[in-house]
């Protein structure tokens, strides 16, 4: 079980984490929460209908990590290859789609990151500081989505776009300042892959 998820009888998954691993995942989840930011209801706590009727932004985020987490709905090579009029139309469609969906997407990503933090905070560590994390099937799915978001965020910081970019990360020298981030990216990828396997029928 060390370093990878294993299925639990009856559903769910378990993984043994040491104190450092617990701290790293928790810290990354907190940073993700801070990056995503509060929801509309948190900005206007006295208005219970604020979140229900709040419209999201219509422009893509300026931060490259947030752009990776909340990409345009209508983009890609087909859009870029079209005429200026077609490109403008696709931008308008993307803006409209973002306006009505981004708040919900952000809320879902916040809830997944919070689920990770709560489950780590609920762990009872042994004398060596390690613990076995046991997740229900529902918690496993939240963890899977959160791990994906964390990898997307780190990948954006590392300029990982294609599979070939990941291959280059393996060859970074130890003195490269990006090395700790690369190690976290690859480690989270291993966790994500084994968690996917536990959820497969």
């Amino acid at each position: 079980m060390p370093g990878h998820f294993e299925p639990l009888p009856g559903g769910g998954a378990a993984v043994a984490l040491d104190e450092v691993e617990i701290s790293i995942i928790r810290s990354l989840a907190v940073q993700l929460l801070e990056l995503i930011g509060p929801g509309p209801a948190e900005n206007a706590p006295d208005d219970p209908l604020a979140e229900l009727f709040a419209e999201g932004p219509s422009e893509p985020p300026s931060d490259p990590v947030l752009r990776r987490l909340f990409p345009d709905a209508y983009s890609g090579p087909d859009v870029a290859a079209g005429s200026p009029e077609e490109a403008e139309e696709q931008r308008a469609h993307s803006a409209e789609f973002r306006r009505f969906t981004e708040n919900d997407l952000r809320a879902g990503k916040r809830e997944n990151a919070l689920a990770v933090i709560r489950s780590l905070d609920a762990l009872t560590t042994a004398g060596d500081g390690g613990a076995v994390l046991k997740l229900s099937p529902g918690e496993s799915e939240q963890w899977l989505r959160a791990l994906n978001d964390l990898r997307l965020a780190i990948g954006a910081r590392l300029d990982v776009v294609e599979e070939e970019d990941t291959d280059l990360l393996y060859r970074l020298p130890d003195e490269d300042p990006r090395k700790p981030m690369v190690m976290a990216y690859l480690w989270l990828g291993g966790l994500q892959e084994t968690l996917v396997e536990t959820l497969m029928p």
Side-chain angles (χ1 to χ4, degrees):
M1 187 184 305
H4 61 272
F5 279 96
E6 292 184 359
L8 287 173
V15 63
L17 299 170
D18 65 31
E19 193 173 8
V20 173
E21 292 168 335
I22 292 169
S23 174
I24 290 171
I25 296 173
R26 191 184 189 288
S27 173
L28 290 172
V30 168
Q31 290 176 54
L32 183 62
L33 273 177
E34 292 171 351
L35 185 64
I36 293 170
E42 293 169 72
N43 288 327
D46 296 333
D47 185 357
L49 299 177
E51 191 158 5
L52 184 62
F53 293 108
E55 290 185 1
S58 58
E59 293 298 318
S62 58
D63 187 296
V65 174
L66 289 175
R67 276 200 309 274
R68 184 78 58 94
L69 291 172
F70 305 103
D72 271 337
Y74 302 92
S75 63
D78 293 341
V79 174
S83 69
E85 293 79 15
E86 290 172 325
E88 184 56 40
E89 184 180 350
Q90 295 303 328
R91 276 194 291 275
H93 288 318
S94 287
E96 188 76 354
F97 186 83
R98 182 180 296 279
R99 196 159 59 94
F100 292 109
T101 61
E102 187 168 312
N103 282 344
D104 287 342
L105 291 173
R106 284 180 182 258
K109 291 180 186 299
R110 268 194 300 274
E111 194 53 44
N112 294 331
L114 280 170
V116 167
I117 294 166
R118 288 179 187 131
S119 57
L120 292 176
D121 288 349
L123 283 176
T124 303
T125 55
D128 61 358
V132 175
L133 174 70
K134 294 182 179 180
L135 303 173
S136 69
E139 290 169 332
S140 296
E141 290 180 11
Q142 285 186 299
W143 263 75
L144 187 59
R145 290 190 290 267
L147 287 172
N148 186 61
D149 287 341
L150 290 173
R151 291 194 77 237
L152 283 173
I154 295 172
R157 292 286 186 239
L158 292 170
D159 293 323
V160 173
V161 178
E162 306 289 342
E163 188 61 38
E164 294 75 26
D165 298 331
T166 305
D167 295 339
L168 294 173
L169 298 179
Y170 285 101
R171 296 195 287 275
L172 280 181
D174 289 342
E175 60 273 12
D176 192 298
R178 296 170 294 170
K179 191 71 172 189
M181 200 183 308
V182 167
M183 298 306 292
Y185 178 79
L186 298 173
W187 172 59
L188 291 173
L191 283 177
Q192 183 181 15
E193 185 177 339
T194 59
L195 185 51
V196 167
E197 290 168 2
T198 70
L199 294 172
M200 293 175 71

